[in-house]
Amino acid sequence: MDTPLLLLLGAAGGSLRGLVDLHNQVMAWQEARRQYRQAPAGEQGEPPRLRDFYDLIPACAALVVHMGLGAGAAALAGLSEQINGVYAAIAVGMSAPAILTHLGQARTISDAVLGTGPEGPAAPRPGSPGGPEGAAGGAAR
Protein backbone atom coordinates (compact mmCIF):
# COMPACT_ATOMS: atom_id res chain seq x y z
CA MET A 1 0.00 0.00 0.00
CA ASP A 2 1.22 3.50 -0.70
CA THR A 3 1.70 6.16 1.97
CA PRO A 4 -1.25 8.45 1.09
CA LEU A 5 -3.65 5.50 1.28
CA LEU A 6 -2.22 4.40 4.64
CA LEU A 7 -2.59 7.95 5.97
CA LEU A 8 -6.18 8.15 4.72
CA LEU A 9 -7.18 4.76 6.14
CA GLY A 10 -5.49 5.48 9.48
CA ALA A 11 -7.27 8.82 9.72
CA ALA A 12 -10.56 7.08 8.90
CA GLY A 13 -9.89 4.65 11.75
CA GLY A 14 -9.17 7.56 14.08
CA SER A 15 -12.47 9.17 13.10
CA LEU A 16 -14.32 5.93 13.84
CA ARG A 17 -13.05 6.20 17.40
CA GLY A 18 -14.83 9.57 17.63
CA LEU A 19 -18.03 7.99 16.33
CA VAL A 20 -17.84 5.28 18.96
CA ASP A 21 -17.49 7.98 21.64
CA LEU A 22 -20.50 9.84 20.18
CA HIS A 23 -22.49 6.60 20.25
CA ASN A 24 -21.62 6.00 23.92
CA GLN A 25 -22.70 9.52 24.88
CA VAL A 26 -25.96 9.28 22.93
CA MET A 27 -26.73 5.98 24.67
CA ALA A 28 -26.07 7.61 28.08
CA TRP A 29 -28.36 10.50 27.09
CA GLN A 30 -31.05 8.05 26.00
CA GLU A 31 -30.84 6.25 29.35
CA ALA A 32 -31.08 9.56 31.24
CA ARG A 33 -34.18 10.49 29.23
CA ARG A 34 -35.69 7.08 29.94
CA GLN A 35 -35.14 7.61 33.69
CA TYR A 36 -36.60 11.13 33.39
CA ARG A 37 -39.78 9.76 31.83
CA GLN A 38 -40.13 7.08 34.51
CA ALA A 39 -39.75 9.54 37.40
CA PRO A 40 -42.89 10.66 39.27
CA ALA A 41 -44.54 13.73 37.76
CA GLY A 42 -43.56 16.09 40.61
CA GLU A 43 -39.85 15.15 40.53
CA GLN A 44 -39.15 15.46 36.82
CA GLY A 45 -37.88 19.00 36.23
CA GLU A 46 -36.31 19.60 32.80
CA PRO A 47 -35.58 16.69 30.47
CA PRO A 48 -31.87 15.93 29.91
CA ARG A 49 -30.38 17.61 26.84
CA LEU A 50 -27.84 16.04 24.52
CA ARG A 51 -25.42 18.92 25.04
CA ASP A 52 -25.23 17.93 28.72
CA PHE A 53 -23.74 14.61 27.59
CA TYR A 54 -21.73 15.58 24.51
CA ASP A 55 -19.52 18.67 24.36
CA LEU A 56 -18.96 19.41 20.69
CA ILE A 57 -15.81 21.59 20.82
CA PRO A 58 -13.61 19.18 22.83
CA ALA A 59 -15.04 16.28 20.83
CA CYS A 60 -13.96 17.94 17.57
CA ALA A 61 -10.50 18.63 18.97
CA ALA A 62 -10.19 15.00 20.09
CA LEU A 63 -11.37 13.86 16.66
CA VAL A 64 -8.61 15.81 14.93
CA VAL A 65 -5.99 14.43 17.34
CA HIS A 66 -7.27 10.85 16.91
CA MET A 67 -7.22 11.22 13.13
CA GLY A 68 -3.62 12.45 13.26
CA LEU A 69 -2.55 9.66 15.59
CA GLY A 70 -4.37 7.10 13.46
CA ALA A 71 -2.83 8.37 10.22
CA GLY A 72 0.66 8.35 11.69
CA ALA A 73 0.37 4.94 13.31
CA ALA A 74 -1.10 3.32 10.19
CA ALA A 75 1.60 4.86 7.98
CA LEU A 76 4.37 3.69 10.32
CA ALA A 77 2.93 0.19 10.59
CA GLY A 78 2.31 -0.08 6.86
CA LEU A 79 5.65 1.29 5.72
CA SER A 80 7.50 -1.01 8.11
CA GLU A 81 5.45 -3.91 6.69
CA GLN A 82 3.86 -4.65 10.06
CA ILE A 83 0.38 -4.58 8.47
CA ASN A 84 -1.05 -5.29 5.05
CA GLY A 85 -4.57 -4.48 3.98
CA VAL A 86 -7.34 -1.97 4.35
CA TYR A 87 -8.91 -3.52 7.45
CA ALA A 88 -5.58 -3.63 9.28
CA ALA A 89 -4.83 0.02 8.48
CA ILE A 90 -8.24 1.11 9.77
CA ALA A 91 -7.87 -1.04 12.90
CA VAL A 92 -4.43 0.45 13.64
CA GLY A 93 -5.86 3.94 13.12
CA MET A 94 -8.73 3.24 15.47
CA SER A 95 -6.49 1.86 18.22
CA ALA A 96 -3.57 4.26 17.68
CA PRO A 97 -3.70 5.95 21.12
CA ALA A 98 -3.51 2.58 22.89
CA ILE A 99 -0.80 1.25 20.56
CA LEU A 100 1.37 4.37 20.90
CA THR A 101 0.94 4.45 24.69
CA HIS A 102 1.99 0.80 24.89
CA LEU A 103 5.02 1.43 22.66
CA GLY A 104 6.03 4.39 24.82
CA GLN A 105 6.11 2.16 27.89
CA ALA A 106 8.04 -0.70 26.27
CA ARG A 107 11.51 -1.53 27.53
CA THR A 108 14.41 -2.05 25.16
CA ILE A 109 16.27 -5.35 25.14
CA SER A 110 19.34 -3.77 26.75
CA ASP A 111 17.18 -2.26 29.52
CA ALA A 112 15.59 -5.65 30.16
CA VAL A 113 18.97 -7.43 30.27
CA LEU A 114 20.64 -4.80 32.45
CA GLY A 115 17.60 -4.40 34.69
CA THR A 116 17.27 -0.68 33.99
CA GLY A 117 14.68 1.29 32.14
CA PRO A 118 12.07 3.99 32.49
CA GLU A 119 11.10 2.76 35.94
CA GLY A 120 14.70 2.62 37.16
CA PRO A 121 16.74 -0.39 38.27
CA ALA A 122 14.85 -3.62 38.67
CA ALA A 123 14.17 -4.71 42.24
CA PRO A 124 16.12 -7.79 43.32
CA ARG A 125 14.11 -10.99 43.39
CA PRO A 126 13.67 -13.05 46.57
CA GLY A 127 16.50 -15.56 46.94
CA SER A 128 18.88 -13.63 44.69
CA PRO A 129 22.01 -11.94 46.04
CA GLY A 130 20.87 -8.61 47.44
CA GLY A 131 17.27 -9.79 47.54
CA PRO A 132 15.00 -9.85 50.57
CA GLU A 133 16.39 -13.20 51.72
CA GLY A 134 20.02 -12.25 51.02
CA ALA A 135 22.78 -14.43 49.61
CA ALA A 136 22.40 -17.02 52.39
CA GLY A 137 18.86 -17.85 51.26
CA GLY A 138 17.29 -16.49 54.42
CA ALA A 139 19.23 -18.67 56.90
CA ALA A 140 20.51 -15.72 58.95
CA ARG A 141 17.49 -14.28 60.75
mmCIF file with all atom_site columns, all heavy atoms in Angstrom, residues 32-33 40 43-45 49-50 56 75 77 80-81 84 91 93 95 103 111 115-116 124 126 128-129 131 138 141:
data_model
loop_
_atom_site.group_PDB
_atom_site.id
_atom_site.type_symbol
_atom_site.label_atom_id
_atom_site.label_alt_id
_atom_site.label_comp_id
_atom_site.label_asym_id
_atom_site.label_entity_id
_atom_site.label_seq_id
_atom_site.pdbx_PDB_ins_code
_atom_site.Cartn_x
_atom_site.Cartn_y
_atom_site.Cartn_z
_atom_site.occupancy
_atom_site.B_iso_or_equiv
_atom_site.pdbx_formal_charge
_atom_site.auth_seq_id
_atom_site.auth_comp_id
_atom_site.auth_asym_id
_atom_site.auth_atom_id
_atom_site.pdbx_PDB_model_num
ATOM 1   N N   . ALA A 1 32  ? -30.670 8.472   30.342 1.00 0.00 ? 32  ALA A N   1
ATOM 2   C CA  . ALA A 1 32  ? -31.084 9.562   31.241 1.00 0.00 ? 32  ALA A CA  1
ATOM 3   C C   . ALA A 1 32  ? -32.494 10.031  30.898 1.00 0.00 ? 32  ALA A C   1
ATOM 4   O O   . ALA A 1 32  ? -33.297 10.318  31.799 1.00 0.00 ? 32  ALA A O   1
ATOM 5   C CB  . ALA A 1 32  ? -30.098 10.721  31.154 1.00 0.00 ? 32  ALA A CB  1
ATOM 6   N N   . ARG A 1 33  ? -32.823 10.092  29.624 1.00 0.00 ? 33  ARG A N   1
ATOM 7   C CA  . ARG A 1 33  ? -34.185 10.492  29.228 1.00 0.00 ? 33  ARG A CA  1
ATOM 8   C C   . ARG A 1 33  ? -35.196 9.419   29.629 1.00 0.00 ? 33  ARG A C   1
ATOM 9   O O   . ARG A 1 33  ? -36.314 9.741   30.041 1.00 0.00 ? 33  ARG A O   1
ATOM 10  C CB  . ARG A 1 33  ? -34.245 10.770  27.731 1.00 0.00 ? 33  ARG A CB  1
ATOM 11  C CG  . ARG A 1 33  ? -33.513 12.058  27.363 1.00 0.00 ? 33  ARG A CG  1
ATOM 12  C CD  . ARG A 1 33  ? -33.706 12.423  25.917 1.00 0.00 ? 33  ARG A CD  1
ATOM 13  N NE  . ARG A 1 33  ? -35.081 12.666  25.558 1.00 0.00 ? 33  ARG A NE  1
ATOM 14  C CZ  . ARG A 1 33  ? -35.706 13.833  25.648 1.00 0.00 ? 33  ARG A CZ  1
ATOM 15  N NH1 . ARG A 1 33  ? -35.060 14.879  26.134 1.00 0.00 ? 33  ARG A NH1 1
ATOM 16  N NH2 . ARG A 1 33  ? -36.953 13.976  25.266 1.00 0.00 ? 33  ARG A NH2 1
ATOM 17  N N   . PRO A 1 40  ? -41.563 10.110  38.945 1.00 0.00 ? 40  PRO A N   1
ATOM 18  C CA  . PRO A 1 40  ? -42.888 10.660  39.274 1.00 0.00 ? 40  PRO A CA  1
ATOM 19  C C   . PRO A 1 40  ? -43.035 12.081  38.736 1.00 0.00 ? 40  PRO A C   1
ATOM 20  O O   . PRO A 1 40  ? -42.062 12.825  38.613 1.00 0.00 ? 40  PRO A O   1
ATOM 21  C CB  . PRO A 1 40  ? -42.920 10.636  40.801 1.00 0.00 ? 40  PRO A CB  1
ATOM 22  C CG  . PRO A 1 40  ? -41.898 9.618   41.196 1.00 0.00 ? 40  PRO A CG  1
ATOM 23  C CD  . PRO A 1 40  ? -40.856 9.647   40.119 1.00 0.00 ? 40  PRO A CD  1
ATOM 24  N N   . GLU A 1 43  ? -41.308 15.168  40.359 1.00 0.00 ? 43  GLU A N   1
ATOM 25  C CA  . GLU A 1 43  ? -39.851 15.148  40.526 1.00 0.00 ? 43  GLU A CA  1
ATOM 26  C C   . GLU A 1 43  ? -39.097 15.287  39.209 1.00 0.00 ? 43  GLU A C   1
ATOM 27  O O   . GLU A 1 43  ? -37.878 15.177  39.197 1.00 0.00 ? 43  GLU A O   1
ATOM 28  C CB  . GLU A 1 43  ? -39.432 13.833  41.200 1.00 0.00 ? 43  GLU A CB  1
ATOM 29  C CG  . GLU A 1 43  ? -40.017 13.644  42.571 1.00 0.00 ? 43  GLU A CG  1
ATOM 30  C CD  . GLU A 1 43  ? -39.655 12.281  43.130 1.00 0.00 ? 43  GLU A CD  1
ATOM 31  O OE1 . GLU A 1 43  ? -38.790 11.603  42.561 1.00 0.00 ? 43  GLU A OE1 1
ATOM 32  O OE2 . GLU A 1 43  ? -40.244 11.902  44.151 1.00 0.00 ? 43  GLU A OE2 1
ATOM 33  N N   . GLN A 1 44  ? -39.790 15.531  38.113 1.00 0.00 ? 44  GLN A N   1
ATOM 34  C CA  . GLN A 1 44  ? -39.146 15.459  36.815 1.00 0.00 ? 44  GLN A CA  1
ATOM 35  C C   . GLN A 1 44  ? -38.228 16.640  36.498 1.00 0.00 ? 44  GLN A C   1
ATOM 36  O O   . GLN A 1 44  ? -37.097 16.441  36.114 1.00 0.00 ? 44  GLN A O   1
ATOM 37  C CB  . GLN A 1 44  ? -40.190 15.308  35.710 1.00 0.00 ? 44  GLN A CB  1
ATOM 38  C CG  . GLN A 1 44  ? -40.744 13.912  35.647 1.00 0.00 ? 44  GLN A CG  1
ATOM 39  C CD  . GLN A 1 44  ? -41.688 13.750  34.483 1.00 0.00 ? 44  GLN A CD  1
ATOM 40  O OE1 . GLN A 1 44  ? -42.240 14.713  33.979 1.00 0.00 ? 44  GLN A OE1 1
ATOM 41  N NE2 . GLN A 1 44  ? -41.883 12.514  34.065 1.00 0.00 ? 44  GLN A NE2 1
ATOM 42  N N   . GLY A 1 45  ? -38.697 17.850  36.624 1.00 0.00 ? 45  GLY A N   1
ATOM 43  C CA  . GLY A 1 45  ? -37.879 18.999  36.234 1.00 0.00 ? 45  GLY A CA  1
ATOM 44  C C   . GLY A 1 45  ? -37.732 19.058  34.717 1.00 0.00 ? 45  GLY A C   1
ATOM 45  O O   . GLY A 1 45  ? -38.642 18.712  33.979 1.00 0.00 ? 45  GLY A O   1
ATOM 46  N N   . ARG A 1 49  ? -30.686 17.179  28.206 1.00 0.00 ? 49  ARG A N   1
ATOM 47  C CA  . ARG A 1 49  ? -30.383 17.611  26.840 1.00 0.00 ? 49  ARG A CA  1
ATOM 48  C C   . ARG A 1 49  ? -29.106 16.921  26.369 1.00 0.00 ? 49  ARG A C   1
ATOM 49  O O   . ARG A 1 49  ? -28.224 16.604  27.165 1.00 0.00 ? 49  ARG A O   1
ATOM 50  C CB  . ARG A 1 49  ? -30.189 19.124  26.796 1.00 0.00 ? 49  ARG A CB  1
ATOM 51  C CG  . ARG A 1 49  ? -31.445 19.882  27.204 1.00 0.00 ? 49  ARG A CG  1
ATOM 52  C CD  . ARG A 1 49  ? -31.248 21.356  27.140 1.00 0.00 ? 49  ARG A CD  1
ATOM 53  N NE  . ARG A 1 49  ? -29.987 21.715  27.823 1.00 0.00 ? 49  ARG A NE  1
ATOM 54  C CZ  . ARG A 1 49  ? -29.610 22.945  28.084 1.00 0.00 ? 49  ARG A CZ  1
ATOM 55  N NH1 . ARG A 1 49  ? -30.378 23.939  27.745 1.00 0.00 ? 49  ARG A NH1 1
ATOM 56  N NH2 . ARG A 1 49  ? -28.478 23.185  28.689 1.00 0.00 ? 49  ARG A NH2 1
ATOM 57  N N   . LEU A 1 50  ? -29.008 16.708  25.083 1.00 0.00 ? 50  LEU A N   1
ATOM 58  C CA  . LEU A 1 50  ? -27.843 16.036  24.520 1.00 0.00 ? 50  LEU A CA  1
ATOM 59  C C   . LEU A 1 50  ? -26.570 16.818  24.803 1.00 0.00 ? 50  LEU A C   1
ATOM 60  O O   . LEU A 1 50  ? -25.528 16.230  25.084 1.00 0.00 ? 50  LEU A O   1
ATOM 61  C CB  . LEU A 1 50  ? -28.016 15.830  23.010 1.00 0.00 ? 50  LEU A CB  1
ATOM 62  C CG  . LEU A 1 50  ? -26.861 15.137  22.297 1.00 0.00 ? 50  LEU A CG  1
ATOM 63  C CD1 . LEU A 1 50  ? -26.601 13.765  22.887 1.00 0.00 ? 50  LEU A CD1 1
ATOM 64  C CD2 . LEU A 1 50  ? -27.119 15.045  20.812 1.00 0.00 ? 50  LEU A CD2 1
ATOM 65  N N   . LEU A 1 56  ? -19.377 19.446  22.088 1.00 0.00 ? 56  LEU A N   1
ATOM 66  C CA  . LEU A 1 56  ? -18.958 19.412  20.689 1.00 0.00 ? 56  LEU A CA  1
ATOM 67  C C   . LEU A 1 56  ? -17.541 19.924  20.454 1.00 0.00 ? 56  LEU A C   1
ATOM 68  O O   . LEU A 1 56  ? -16.775 19.309  19.691 1.00 0.00 ? 56  LEU A O   1
ATOM 69  C CB  . LEU A 1 56  ? -19.950 20.207  19.832 1.00 0.00 ? 56  LEU A CB  1
ATOM 70  C CG  . LEU A 1 56  ? -19.775 20.097  18.327 1.00 0.00 ? 56  LEU A CG  1
ATOM 71  C CD1 . LEU A 1 56  ? -19.903 18.663  17.877 1.00 0.00 ? 56  LEU A CD1 1
ATOM 72  C CD2 . LEU A 1 56  ? -20.778 20.977  17.614 1.00 0.00 ? 56  LEU A CD2 1
ATOM 73  N N   . ALA A 1 75  ? 0.495   4.668   8.931  1.00 0.00 ? 75  ALA A N   1
ATOM 74  C CA  . ALA A 1 75  ? 1.597   4.858   7.983  1.00 0.00 ? 75  ALA A CA  1
ATOM 75  C C   . ALA A 1 75  ? 2.863   4.176   8.488  1.00 0.00 ? 75  ALA A C   1
ATOM 76  O O   . ALA A 1 75  ? 3.551   3.484   7.725  1.00 0.00 ? 75  ALA A O   1
ATOM 77  C CB  . ALA A 1 75  ? 1.842   6.348   7.747  1.00 0.00 ? 75  ALA A CB  1
ATOM 78  N N   . ALA A 1 77  ? 3.110   1.648   10.612 1.00 0.00 ? 77  ALA A N   1
ATOM 79  C CA  . ALA A 1 77  ? 2.934   0.191   10.590 1.00 0.00 ? 77  ALA A CA  1
ATOM 80  C C   . ALA A 1 77  ? 2.952   -0.345  9.165  1.00 0.00 ? 77  ALA A C   1
ATOM 81  O O   . ALA A 1 77  ? 3.523   -1.400  8.893  1.00 0.00 ? 77  ALA A O   1
ATOM 82  C CB  . ALA A 1 77  ? 1.638   -0.189  11.291 1.00 0.00 ? 77  ALA A CB  1
ATOM 83  N N   . SER A 1 80  ? 6.554   -0.058  7.520  1.00 0.00 ? 80  SER A N   1
ATOM 84  C CA  . SER A 1 80  ? 7.499   -1.009  8.105  1.00 0.00 ? 80  SER A CA  1
ATOM 85  C C   . SER A 1 80  ? 7.034   -2.449  7.884  1.00 0.00 ? 80  SER A C   1
ATOM 86  O O   . SER A 1 80  ? 7.577   -3.374  8.469  1.00 0.00 ? 80  SER A O   1
ATOM 87  C CB  . SER A 1 80  ? 7.690   -0.737  9.596  1.00 0.00 ? 80  SER A CB  1
ATOM 88  O OG  . SER A 1 80  ? 6.472   -0.950  10.291 1.00 0.00 ? 80  SER A OG  1
ATOM 89  N N   . GLU A 1 81  ? 6.001   -2.610  7.063  1.00 0.00 ? 81  GLU A N   1
ATOM 90  C CA  . GLU A 1 81  ? 5.450   -3.910  6.689  1.00 0.00 ? 81  GLU A CA  1
ATOM 91  C C   . GLU A 1 81  ? 4.943   -4.715  7.886  1.00 0.00 ? 81  GLU A C   1
ATOM 92  O O   . GLU A 1 81  ? 4.992   -5.939  7.897  1.00 0.00 ? 81  GLU A O   1
ATOM 93  C CB  . GLU A 1 81  ? 6.463   -4.708  5.860  1.00 0.00 ? 81  GLU A CB  1
ATOM 94  C CG  . GLU A 1 81  ? 6.812   -4.006  4.577  1.00 0.00 ? 81  GLU A CG  1
ATOM 95  C CD  . GLU A 1 81  ? 7.841   -4.749  3.735  1.00 0.00 ? 81  GLU A CD  1
ATOM 96  O OE1 . GLU A 1 81  ? 8.257   -5.855  4.129  1.00 0.00 ? 81  GLU A OE1 1
ATOM 97  O OE2 . GLU A 1 81  ? 8.211   -4.213  2.691  1.00 0.00 ? 81  GLU A OE2 1
ATOM 98  N N   . ASN A 1 84  ? -0.791  -5.238  6.473  1.00 0.00 ? 84  ASN A N   1
ATOM 99  C CA  . ASN A 1 84  ? -1.049  -5.288  5.049  1.00 0.00 ? 84  ASN A CA  1
ATOM 100 C C   . ASN A 1 84  ? -2.553  -5.397  4.866  1.00 0.00 ? 84  ASN A C   1
ATOM 101 O O   . ASN A 1 84  ? -3.163  -6.345  5.328  1.00 0.00 ? 84  ASN A O   1
ATOM 102 C CB  . ASN A 1 84  ? -0.327  -6.488  4.423  1.00 0.00 ? 84  ASN A CB  1
ATOM 103 C CG  . ASN A 1 84  ? -0.416  -6.476  2.913  1.00 0.00 ? 84  ASN A CG  1
ATOM 104 O OD1 . ASN A 1 84  ? -0.818  -5.488  2.322  1.00 0.00 ? 84  ASN A OD1 1
ATOM 105 N ND2 . ASN A 1 84  ? -0.049  -7.589  2.308  1.00 0.00 ? 84  ASN A ND2 1
ATOM 106 N N   . ALA A 1 91  ? -7.939  -0.573  11.506 1.00 0.00 ? 91  ALA A N   1
ATOM 107 C CA  . ALA A 1 91  ? -7.870  -1.042  12.902 1.00 0.00 ? 91  ALA A CA  1
ATOM 108 C C   . ALA A 1 91  ? -6.719  -0.383  13.648 1.00 0.00 ? 91  ALA A C   1
ATOM 109 O O   . ALA A 1 91  ? -6.863  0.010   14.813 1.00 0.00 ? 91  ALA A O   1
ATOM 110 C CB  . ALA A 1 91  ? -7.726  -2.561  12.932 1.00 0.00 ? 91  ALA A CB  1
ATOM 111 N N   . GLY A 1 93  ? -5.452  2.550   12.933 1.00 0.00 ? 93  GLY A N   1
ATOM 112 C CA  . GLY A 1 93  ? -5.862  3.940   13.115 1.00 0.00 ? 93  GLY A CA  1
ATOM 113 C C   . GLY A 1 93  ? -6.831  4.110   14.263 1.00 0.00 ? 93  GLY A C   1
ATOM 114 O O   . GLY A 1 93  ? -6.749  5.066   15.042 1.00 0.00 ? 93  GLY A O   1
ATOM 115 N N   . SER A 1 95  ? -7.099  2.168   16.921 1.00 0.00 ? 95  SER A N   1
ATOM 116 C CA  . SER A 1 95  ? -6.488  1.858   18.215 1.00 0.00 ? 95  SER A CA  1
ATOM 117 C C   . SER A 1 95  ? -5.151  2.566   18.414 1.00 0.00 ? 95  SER A C   1
ATOM 118 O O   . SER A 1 95  ? -4.398  2.217   19.324 1.00 0.00 ? 95  SER A O   1
ATOM 119 C CB  . SER A 1 95  ? -6.301  0.348   18.336 1.00 0.00 ? 95  SER A CB  1
ATOM 120 O OG  . SER A 1 95  ? -5.511  -0.139  17.272 1.00 0.00 ? 95  SER A OG  1
ATOM 121 N N   . LEU A 1 103 ? 3.653   1.341   23.185 1.00 0.00 ? 103 LEU A N   1
ATOM 122 C CA  . LEU A 1 103 ? 5.018   1.432   22.660 1.00 0.00 ? 103 LEU A CA  1
ATOM 123 C C   . LEU A 1 103 ? 5.877   2.380   23.485 1.00 0.00 ? 103 LEU A C   1
ATOM 124 O O   . LEU A 1 103 ? 7.067   2.147   23.669 1.00 0.00 ? 103 LEU A O   1
ATOM 125 C CB  . LEU A 1 103 ? 5.001   1.876   21.202 1.00 0.00 ? 103 LEU A CB  1
ATOM 126 C CG  . LEU A 1 103 ? 4.561   0.829   20.186 1.00 0.00 ? 103 LEU A CG  1
ATOM 127 C CD1 . LEU A 1 103 ? 4.481   1.441   18.798 1.00 0.00 ? 103 LEU A CD1 1
ATOM 128 C CD2 . LEU A 1 103 ? 5.491   -0.358  20.194 1.00 0.00 ? 103 LEU A CD2 1
ATOM 129 N N   . ASP A 1 111 ? 17.734  -2.626  28.206 1.00 0.00 ? 111 ASP A N   1
ATOM 130 C CA  . ASP A 1 111 ? 17.175  -2.264  29.516 1.00 0.00 ? 111 ASP A CA  1
ATOM 131 C C   . ASP A 1 111 ? 16.684  -3.504  30.256 1.00 0.00 ? 111 ASP A C   1
ATOM 132 O O   . ASP A 1 111 ? 16.861  -3.626  31.468 1.00 0.00 ? 111 ASP A O   1
ATOM 133 C CB  . ASP A 1 111 ? 16.011  -1.280  29.356 1.00 0.00 ? 111 ASP A CB  1
ATOM 134 C CG  . ASP A 1 111 ? 16.471  0.115   28.986 1.00 0.00 ? 111 ASP A CG  1
ATOM 135 O OD1 . ASP A 1 111 ? 17.670  0.410   29.161 1.00 0.00 ? 111 ASP A OD1 1
ATOM 136 O OD2 . ASP A 1 111 ? 15.626  0.901   28.513 1.00 0.00 ? 111 ASP A OD2 1
ATOM 137 N N   . GLY A 1 115 ? 18.479  -4.661  33.558 1.00 0.00 ? 115 GLY A N   1
ATOM 138 C CA  . GLY A 1 115 ? 17.602  -4.395  34.690 1.00 0.00 ? 115 GLY A CA  1
ATOM 139 C C   . GLY A 1 115 ? 17.366  -2.919  34.921 1.00 0.00 ? 115 GLY A C   1
ATOM 140 O O   . GLY A 1 115 ? 17.057  -2.517  36.033 1.00 0.00 ? 115 GLY A O   1
ATOM 141 N N   . THR A 1 116 ? 17.538  -2.111  33.888 1.00 0.00 ? 116 THR A N   1
ATOM 142 C CA  . THR A 1 116 ? 17.269  -0.683  33.992 1.00 0.00 ? 116 THR A CA  1
ATOM 143 C C   . THR A 1 116 ? 16.124  -0.354  33.054 1.00 0.00 ? 116 THR A C   1
ATOM 144 O O   . THR A 1 116 ? 15.613  -1.198  32.348 1.00 0.00 ? 116 THR A O   1
ATOM 145 C CB  . THR A 1 116 ? 18.512  0.142   33.607 1.00 0.00 ? 116 THR A CB  1
ATOM 146 O OG1 . THR A 1 116 ? 18.850  -0.154  32.254 1.00 0.00 ? 116 THR A OG1 1
ATOM 147 C CG2 . THR A 1 116 ? 19.676  -0.168  34.517 1.00 0.00 ? 116 THR A CG2 1
ATOM 148 N N   . PRO A 1 124 ? 15.607  -6.425  43.222 1.00 0.00 ? 124 PRO A N   1
ATOM 149 C CA  . PRO A 1 124 ? 16.124  -7.790  43.325 1.00 0.00 ? 124 PRO A CA  1
ATOM 150 C C   . PRO A 1 124 ? 15.015  -8.765  43.674 1.00 0.00 ? 124 PRO A C   1
ATOM 151 O O   . PRO A 1 124 ? 14.096  -8.441  44.411 1.00 0.00 ? 124 PRO A O   1
ATOM 152 C CB  . PRO A 1 124 ? 17.159  -7.717  44.440 1.00 0.00 ? 124 PRO A CB  1
ATOM 153 C CG  . PRO A 1 124 ? 17.242  -6.305  44.869 1.00 0.00 ? 124 PRO A CG  1
ATOM 154 C CD  . PRO A 1 124 ? 16.176  -5.529  44.185 1.00 0.00 ? 124 PRO A CD  1
ATOM 155 N N   . PRO A 1 126 ? 13.406  -12.269 45.358 1.00 0.00 ? 126 PRO A N   1
ATOM 156 C CA  . PRO A 1 126 ? 13.670  -13.050 46.572 1.00 0.00 ? 126 PRO A CA  1
ATOM 157 C C   . PRO A 1 126 ? 14.595  -14.225 46.254 1.00 0.00 ? 126 PRO A C   1
ATOM 158 O O   . PRO A 1 126 ? 14.446  -14.884 45.243 1.00 0.00 ? 126 PRO A O   1
ATOM 159 C CB  . PRO A 1 126 ? 12.283  -13.547 46.999 1.00 0.00 ? 126 PRO A CB  1
ATOM 160 C CG  . PRO A 1 126 ? 11.329  -12.591 46.362 1.00 0.00 ? 126 PRO A CG  1
ATOM 161 C CD  . PRO A 1 126 ? 11.986  -12.138 45.092 1.00 0.00 ? 126 PRO A CD  1
ATOM 162 N N   . SER A 1 128 ? 17.714  -14.039 45.469 1.00 0.00 ? 128 SER A N   1
ATOM 163 C CA  . SER A 1 128 ? 18.881  -13.633 44.686 1.00 0.00 ? 128 SER A CA  1
ATOM 164 C C   . SER A 1 128 ? 19.809  -12.830 45.589 1.00 0.00 ? 128 SER A C   1
ATOM 165 O O   . SER A 1 128 ? 19.381  -12.279 46.600 1.00 0.00 ? 128 SER A O   1
ATOM 166 C CB  . SER A 1 128 ? 18.454  -12.800 43.475 1.00 0.00 ? 128 SER A CB  1
ATOM 167 O OG  . SER A 1 128 ? 17.912  -11.570 43.898 1.00 0.00 ? 128 SER A OG  1
ATOM 168 N N   . PRO A 1 129 ? 21.110  -12.757 45.235 1.00 0.00 ? 129 PRO A N   1
ATOM 169 C CA  . PRO A 1 129 ? 22.015  -11.938 46.041 1.00 0.00 ? 129 PRO A CA  1
ATOM 170 C C   . PRO A 1 129 ? 21.502  -10.499 46.100 1.00 0.00 ? 129 PRO A C   1
ATOM 171 O O   . PRO A 1 129 ? 21.182  -9.906  45.089 1.00 0.00 ? 129 PRO A O   1
ATOM 172 C CB  . PRO A 1 129 ? 23.343  -12.028 45.295 1.00 0.00 ? 129 PRO A CB  1
ATOM 173 C CG  . PRO A 1 129 ? 23.253  -13.289 44.497 1.00 0.00 ? 129 PRO A CG  1
ATOM 174 C CD  . PRO A 1 129 ? 21.801  -13.450 44.158 1.00 0.00 ? 129 PRO A CD  1
ATOM 175 N N   . GLY A 1 131 ? 18.706  -9.720  47.430 1.00 0.00 ? 131 GLY A N   1
ATOM 176 C CA  . GLY A 1 131 ? 17.271  -9.790  47.536 1.00 0.00 ? 131 GLY A CA  1
ATOM 177 C C   . GLY A 1 131 ? 16.819  -9.803  48.981 1.00 0.00 ? 131 GLY A C   1
ATOM 178 O O   . GLY A 1 131 ? 17.638  -9.775  49.902 1.00 0.00 ? 131 GLY A O   1
ATOM 179 N N   . GLY A 1 138 ? 18.190  -16.760 53.299 1.00 0.00 ? 138 GLY A N   1
ATOM 180 C CA  . GLY A 1 138 ? 17.292  -16.495 54.423 1.00 0.00 ? 138 GLY A CA  1
ATOM 181 C C   . GLY A 1 138 ? 17.667  -17.253 55.675 1.00 0.00 ? 138 GLY A C   1
ATOM 182 O O   . GLY A 1 138 ? 16.896  -17.302 56.614 1.00 0.00 ? 138 GLY A O   1
ATOM 183 N N   . ARG A 1 141 ? 18.638  -15.114 60.342 1.00 0.00 ? 141 ARG A N   1
ATOM 184 C CA  . ARG A 1 141 ? 17.491  -14.281 60.749 1.00 0.00 ? 141 ARG A CA  1
ATOM 185 C C   . ARG A 1 141 ? 17.658  -13.818 62.141 1.00 0.00 ? 141 ARG A C   1
ATOM 186 O O   . ARG A 1 141 ? 17.944  -14.350 63.055 1.00 0.00 ? 141 ARG A O   1
ATOM 187 C CB  . ARG A 1 141 ? 16.189  -15.053 60.614 1.00 0.00 ? 141 ARG A CB  1
ATOM 188 C CG  . ARG A 1 141 ? 15.872  -15.278 59.176 1.00 0.00 ? 141 ARG A CG  1
ATOM 189 C CD  . ARG A 1 141 ? 14.451  -15.829 59.069 1.00 0.00 ? 141 ARG A CD  1
ATOM 190 N NE  . ARG A 1 141 ? 14.213  -16.129 57.677 1.00 0.00 ? 141 ARG A NE  1
ATOM 191 C CZ  . ARG A 1 141 ? 13.207  -15.693 56.989 1.00 0.00 ? 141 ARG A CZ  1
ATOM 192 N NH1 . ARG A 1 141 ? 12.302  -14.982 57.550 1.00 0.00 ? 141 ARG A NH1 1
ATOM 193 N NH2 . ARG A 1 141 ? 13.057  -16.002 55.756 1.00 0.00 ? 141 ARG A NH2 1
#
